[in-house]
Amino acid sequence: MFRSILRWLRQQSRRIHVRVILFAVLNMAALVLAAVIGPLLPEGLGDRIGARSVDTILQVIASSMLAVVTFSLTIMVTGFSRAEGQWTPRSHILLREDTRTHSVLATFLGAYLYALIAIILRAADVFGESELVVLFFTTLLVVAAIIWSIIRWILHLEGYGSLTLTARQLERRAATAVHEAARFPSQGAQPLTPDVTIPEEGTDLRAARAGYVQQIFEEALQSEAKKLDAQIYVLAPAGRYLQRGDVMARIVGDRAPGKEAMGRLRAAIPIDDVRSFEMDPVFGVTVLAEVATRALSPGVNDPGTAIDIIHRLSHVIGEARVAPELDAPRHDRVWIEPMSLHALFEASFAPIARCAGDAVEVHVALAHAFAAIGRVGDDAMALAARQAAADHMARAQAQITHRPDLERLRRAVSRASEP
C-alpha cells in the first residue's frame, strides 16, 4: 500500500493548486507562530532591530506579488502554446506538471496571501510590539524565498517551452516509466501473458465512463481480492482507451463483489480523458516520437531534431534492460499485462522510420540506435531490436531511391552490427 500512496502523493504534488494551498498554510502557520512566540521575547527588542519597518515590507510584497503572479501565468500559458504548436500537442501534459513552475508560482501567490493576511491582522491590532519582532523575521524569510524563486524562475525561463527543455523533460519522464516497468514486471502482480487462460466465469468490472486507463493501483486490487477470496484479471492495461461499459477487469471467485467493492475496484483503475506518463511507458515514447515526426514533416523539414530524438529514444528504451525481480509476485491474486518491448519499438522508432522518407541521415541514426539497444539489453531486448532493425531496413530500401544513399545506409548498418 505504501507504493500506491507514494505514487498518489507524487501525482498530487504536480498539481499547481496543491502547492499554492500548502504555501498559504505554511504562511498562516508562520503568522500563528508569531502571535505565540511574541510574548516570550524581551521588551524593546523591536525598537533595537527596526521591526516597525515590517509594515513597509508587507505593503511592497502585497502590491508587487499579484502583478508578478499574473505576469508569470502569462509566460506559462505562452510556453504551453509554444510547445503545443511547435513540438507536439501532448507536451502540455508534461509542462502542466512542471514542478519548478509550480513552486515559483506557489511562492509568489503564497507571499501575496501572507502579506495580505499580515496587513489585515496588523490593522486589527493582533500583533503587539513583541509579536511584531517575530513577524519581522518571518517576513524576512518570505522575502528571501521570493528572491530565490525569482532567480530560479529567470533561469527556468531561458528554455521554458523550448525544444531542448521539452525534449529533456519528455525523455526523463519516459525513461522513468520504462525503468519502473522493467524493475517491476506486471507491477509486482502475476504476469498476464498470452499463454494465460482467463476463466470465462466471473464478474466483469466495466468502465463507468469513456477514457484512457491512467494507471493501476495493484495494492488496492490485491486488498480487494483478499477480501473477496478471488483472483482479479486486469484486462485493460495503462494507456488503453475504453468506451463506457467496456470490461476493465474480471473478478473470479466464489463470491461476487457487491456495489461498494465494485466502486473501490473502479477507483483502483482510474480513467481520464488524457493519457498519463505515470505508469504508461508506451505513451512516453509515443510523445517523444511525435516531436521527431513533426520535425520530419515537409513544412518543417528538420532532420537534425529527429536525429536528436532518436538518440533520446535509444536511451529511454535502453532503460528496459534492468533485470526484473524474479521473486514470487507480491500481489499473487492480481494479474496484469507486462510491458511489451515490441510495443515500445512500434510506438517510438516505427513512426519516425515511416516519416523519414529518403533522409538517409535519419535512417543511419535509426540503424545505430537499434544496434546500441541490442548491445546493452538482454536476449529479449536484442531480439526485439533485431526485428525492429529488419523492419526498418525493409522500409528504408523502399523509401531511398538514390543508390549511393542506400549504400551508405548499408555500410552504416554493417559497422553498427560489429561488436
Side-chain angles (χ1 to χ4, degrees), residues 16 71-81 101 105 153 160:
I16 186 170
F71 177 70
S72 300
L73 286 173
T74 302
I75 294 176
M76 185 178 70
V77 173
T78 303
F80 287 175
S81 302
T101 301
L105 290 176
W153 189 226
Y160 191 71

Side-chain angles (χ1 to χ4, degrees), residues 39-68:
L40 305 178
L41 298 177
E43 295 184 2
L45 181 61
D47 293 333
R48 290 198 298 270
I49 64 175
R52 291 186 178 277
S53 62
V54 70
D55 293 324
T56 304
I57 300 173
L58 291 173
Q59 291 290 345
V60 172
I61 294 175
S63 61
S64 60
M65 282 300 101
L66 192 59
V68 171

